[in-house]
Amino acid sequence: MSCSNLTMWVSSSKPSFPDTSSLSSGSFINPFRAPSHNSTVVSPSRSSSVAPIHCGLRELRERIDSVKNTQKITEAMKLVAAAKVRRAQEAVVNGRPFSETLVEVLYNINEQLQTEDIDVPLIKVRPVKKVALVVVTGDRGLCGGFNNYVIKKAERRIAELKGLGVEYTIISVGKKGNSYFIRRPYIPVDRFIEGSTLPTAKEAQAIADDVFSLFVSEEVDKVELLYTKFVSLVKSDPVIHTLLPLSPKGEICDINGNCVDAAEDELFRLSTKEGKLTVERDVVRTETVQFSPILQFEQDPVQILDALLPLYLNSQILRALQESLASELAARMSAMSNASDNANELKKNLSTVYNRQRQAKITGEILEIVAGAEALV
Amino acid sequence: MTLNLCVLTPNRIVWDSEVKEIILSTNSGQIGVLPNHAPIATAVDIGILRIRFNDQWLTMALMGGFARIGNNEITVLVNDAEKSSDIDPQEAQQTLEIAEAGLRKAESKRQTIEANLALRRARTRVEVLNVIS
C-alpha cells in the first residue's frame, strides 16, 4: 500500500497540501507504537492536533478500518485475559486444601523437632559458591513490560552475583526467557523449561526435580526463585525468593532476609465493583491446630521431614508459577485495555480528519461547478 | 466407625470419601489401615495405594509424600496421584522404557539421582496397572 501515490492523487486537486506522506505512512504501519518512540515518529493517536494527518480519502478510510480491526483484536485479547485470570485464580483455590494441610503438618512436626539435632539435605546451609537462579517468565508477548521486568531483574541479580564473585547458573522457565537467554550464550543456562497455559503440579515437579538434584549433588549451594508476585490487577512486582536451603521453620526468606510466614496465605479474588473488574486480596491465616499428643511417627522424624520438604518445595514452585501467570494475564489485560483506548482515540481523530477532508473535497467540487457555470453565463 | 480417606495433590483433591480399608506404601514398607487405627504420621514412598471401597479394591499410584492418620481420618499429601483407571497402559510402558534408557545413560551423580526418580515413578505407574486384586 503506497501512501505517497495516493497523496499525489489528492494533492493534484489540492496543490496547497504539504508533502508529509512519509510521516503518515510511517505511523500507519504501527498505530500502537510505544510512547517512547515518539521522538522520531509522531504518534497519530496523541498528537493529531500538533501534526495533522495528511492522507488521501481512500487511505484514511483504510486506516480507519484497520484501526477498527486492531481494536477488535485487542478488545478480544483483553476479555480472554480477564477470563483466564479467573481460571488462574481457581487453580490457586484448588491448591488450597493441600497447602493448608501441608503448612499445618509442617508446623507441628517442626515443633516436635525443635529439640532434636536434625540433618536433612534440603535444609543444609553450605557456604555459597554457586547459585542457581530460576527465572519465571511468560510464554507470550503483548503484555506490556511484564517479561522485560523479570529479565531486567535477573540481569541485575546476575551482576550482583558477579560482583560478589559467586558463580551462577540459570534455569529458565517460559518461552520469552528461553529465547532471551538463547540469544546470550555467555550466560550459563542449566535448563530451558517451557511453560504451559496453566501451571500444573507436573511442571512444578519438573522444576523441583531439577533444583533438587542440583542442590543435593552439591553443584549449587543456593537456589533462588525469581518470579512476578501478583499484587493487584495493575501492580505486580518481580521478586526473588530463596528456595533452597529450606528453612525448617516452614519459612521462606527473600533476598533481604525478610521472612514470609508460610502460615499466612494470601488469596486473590477477581470480582466486579460497579461494573469494573477489581481484585480483592484476602489474607487467610491458617489455624495451626495442635496434633493429638499420642501421635506416633512411623519413621524417624528426619525421614518424615525428608518426605515433607520436597512437597513444600513443590507447592512453593507451583504457587510461584501460578502467581507469575496471574501477573502476566493481568499485565496483558491492562496492556490490551490501553491499546483499545488508544485505538478508540485514533479512530476518532482519523474520522474527524476524514470527514473534514471529505467536506473540503465536496466544497471544492461545488466551487468548481459554480465557477464553471458562472464562466458559461 | 467409618474411615475417611482424603488424598490431596497440589492442584486438586483426588479422593475424598469413606473407605473400608487402605494399604499404603510407606518408607518402611506397606501398612494396612483399618478403622480405629492408632494415630500415626508417616512418609509415603513412591508406590501403590490400594483402597477397599464398596467391597472393591481400587489402586492408585502415589508419587511420594506424606500421610497422617488419626481419629479415623486419613490425610495423604502427595506430589501427584493417578488412579489406575486414568493411566494409559501403553503410554506408561513407554515412559518406563524411556526412564530405563535414561538411567543407563546417566553419568554424573546428578543425572543418576534424576534418572532414578524418573524410573521409580514410571515403574509404579506400570505396577499399578498390573496389580492382582
Side-chain angles (χ1 to χ4, degrees):
Chain A
M1 160 144 356
S2 100
C3 188
S4 49
N5 271 352
L6 292 162
T7 316
M8 288 302 286
W9 167 70
V10 174
S11 54
S12 60
S13 65
K14 275 184 235 162
S16 63
F17 231 75
D19 186 28
T20 45
S21 55
S22 60
L23 179 133
S24 20
S25 68
S27 49
F28 173 62
I29 294 161
N30 184 2
F32 299 114
R33 207 174 284 269
S36 57
H37 297 289
N38 274 0
S39 51
T40 49
V41 180
V42 182
S43 163
S45 63
R46 299 246 177 255
S47 44
S48 55
S49 54
V50 183
I53 302 155
H54 296 305
C55 260
L57 273 181
R58 199 169 84 193
E59 195 184 45
L60 268 173
R61 212 167 358 183
E62 270 159 8
R63 275 182 74 174
I64 291 169
D65 283 347
S66 102
V67 169
K68 260 188 203 158
N69 282 339
T70 315
Q71 192 195 13
K72 266 181 211 153
I73 294 168
T74 54
E75 196 73 57
M77 279 183 80
K78 180 186 155 193
L79 290 177
V80 168
K84 278 188 180 164
V85 168
R86 217 160 295 158
R87 276 234 309 276
Q89 171 226 327
E90 245 163 56
V92 174
V93 173
N94 285 345
R96 289 184 67 76
F98 181 84
S99 54
E100 271 170 18
T101 322
L102 186 60
V103 167
E104 187 189 309
V105 171
L106 203 58
Y107 179 83
N108 278 300
I109 290 188
N110 190 50
E111 292 267 282
Q112 306 226 358
L113 292 179
Q114 287 288 326
T115 48
E116 288 177 56
D117 187 23
I118 40 171
D119 180 37
V120 181
L122 283 184
I123 61 174
K124 208 183 272 168
V125 181
R126 296 190 291 259
V128 177
K129 287 196 287 287
K130 193 171 181 183
V131 173
L133 200 58
V134 183
V135 182
V136 184
T137 54
D139 273 354
R140 280 162 215 216
L142 287 181
C143 47
F146 171 80
N147 291 313
N148 251 337
Y149 289 143
V150 177
I151 287 167
K152 286 264 164 62
K153 182 106 180 164
E155 284 282 6
R156 257 206 312 276
R157 183 69 190 147
I158 287 170
E160 251 175 62
L161 290 173
K162 264 187 191 158
L164 290 168
V166 179
E167 277 184 82
Y168 64 90
T169 181
I170 303 279
I171 296 167
S172 167
V173 184
K175 274 188 198 137
K176 284 282 159 185
N178 291 358
S179 62
Y180 179 87
F181 290 117
I182 285 171
R183 279 201 306 272
R184 284 161 188 75
Y186 54 89
I187 298 174
V189 178
D190 185 76
R191 183 177 281 193
F192 295 106
I193 297 167
E194 296 251 316
S196 69
T197 44
L198 210 61
T200 56
K202 269 222 173 75
E203 241 170 276
Q205 179 91 58
I207 300 167
D209 280 358
D210 205 42
V211 163
F212 181 82
S213 55
L214 268 175
F215 189 78
V216 172
S217 61
E218 304 198 359
E219 267 181 51
V220 300
D221 310 295
K222 191 170 185 234
V223 180
E224 288 173 356
L225 182 63
L226 202 166
Y227 70 101
T228 316
K229 196 172 169 60
F230 183 87
V231 183
S232 75
L233 273 184
V234 287
K235 189 173 185 290
S236 46
D237 295 323
V239 290
I240 299 178
H241 270 172
T242 300
L243 210 54
L244 289 171
L246 284 171
S247 110
K249 289 194 181 109
E251 283 176 339
I252 41 168
C253 301
D254 67 7
I255 197 68
N256 302 321
N258 299 328
C259 283
V260 188
D261 197 353
E264 198 167 310
D265 194 10
E266 274 191 311
L267 168 71
F268 58 88
R269 197 167 54 203
L270 195 71
S271 64
T272 47
K273 202 181 270 172
E274 291 160 15
K276 281 188 180 160
L277 291 168
T278 56
V279 169
E280 287 171 16
R281 281 198 89 116
D282 299 345
V283 178
V284 185
R285 234 184 190 287
T286 319
E287 272 186 40
T288 35
V289 281
Q290 209 55 47
F291 257 155
S292 73
I294 48 165
L295 186 87
Q296 290 173 9
F297 289 107
E298 180 73 12
Q299 291 96 11
D300 248 7
V302 174
Q303 263 199 49
I304 289 177
L305 207 55
D306 227 2
L308 269 177
L309 290 180
L311 282 183
Y312 186 66
L313 182 67
N314 264 13
S315 80
Q316 283 301 327
I317 293 174
L318 186 65
R319 168 106 176 263
L321 290 179
Q322 282 169 342
E323 290 233 8
S324 174
L325 181 78
S327 311
E328 184 193 338
L329 293 170
R332 180 165 299 127
M333 239 173 89
S334 61
M336 287 303 116
S337 132
N338 280 345
S340 303
D341 290 351
N342 278 349
N344 238 338
E345 200 183 324
L346 184 56
K347 205 168 74 188
K348 212 179 85 196
N349 287 337
L350 284 174
S351 324
T352 318
V353 174
Y354 174 76
N355 288 339
R356 205 170 284 156
Q357 272 193 28
R358 196 180 54 122
Q359 193 57 54
K361 198 179 158 206
I362 293 168
T363 314
E365 276 166 6
I366 291 174
L367 278 178
E368 269 167 36
I369 294 167
V370 171
E374 247 165 34
L376 280 177
V377 173
Chain B
M1 273 306 258
T2 56
L3 188 63
N4 240 333
L5 173 68
C6 192
V7 181
L8 300 171
T9 69
N11 45 0
R12 68 205 162 103
I13 298 168
V14 181
W15 184 285
D16 189 7
S17 74
E18 208 173 283
V19 294
K20 293 263 166 56
E21 177 188 356
I22 66 161
I23 297 172
L24 190 63
S25 319
T26 71
N27 276 8
S28 42
Q30 291 197 327
I31 58 165
V33 182
L34 287 164
N36 293 323
H37 195 280
I40 60 164
T42 174
V44 174
D45 206 7
I46 297 174
I48 301 170
L49 169 70
R50 301 181 65 192
I51 304 166
R52 190 149 70 92
F53 175 70
N54 289 344
D55 288 322
Q56 255 184 332
W57 281 100
L58 296 172
T59 50
M60 210 184 266
L62 298 185
M63 297 311 172
F66 175 84
R68 190 178 59 173
I69 300 157
N71 205 11
N72 280 320
E73 286 276 345
I74 310 168
T75 314
V76 183
L77 299 174
V78 279
N79 272 326
D80 198 10
E82 273 181 290
K83 284 183 205 157
S84 58
S85 50
D86 294 345
I87 299 173
D88 176 16
Q90 264 185 338
E91 193 258 341
Q93 192 66 43
Q94 262 172 15
T95 320
L96 178 65
E97 276 156 25
I98 293 168
E100 276 168 351
L103 184 62
R104 273 197 298 276
K105 266 188 269 168
E107 280 161 8
S108 68
K109 188 179 168 192
R110 180 186 155 203
Q111 279 172 336
T112 318
I113 296 173
E114 260 177 48
N116 258 322
L117 274 176
L119 179 64
R120 285 181 62 201
R121 285 203 193 103
R123 193 175 283 155
T124 304
R125 292 182 72 212
V126 174
E127 275 172 14
V128 161
L129 293 169
N130 302 331
V131 153
I132 312 143
S133 352

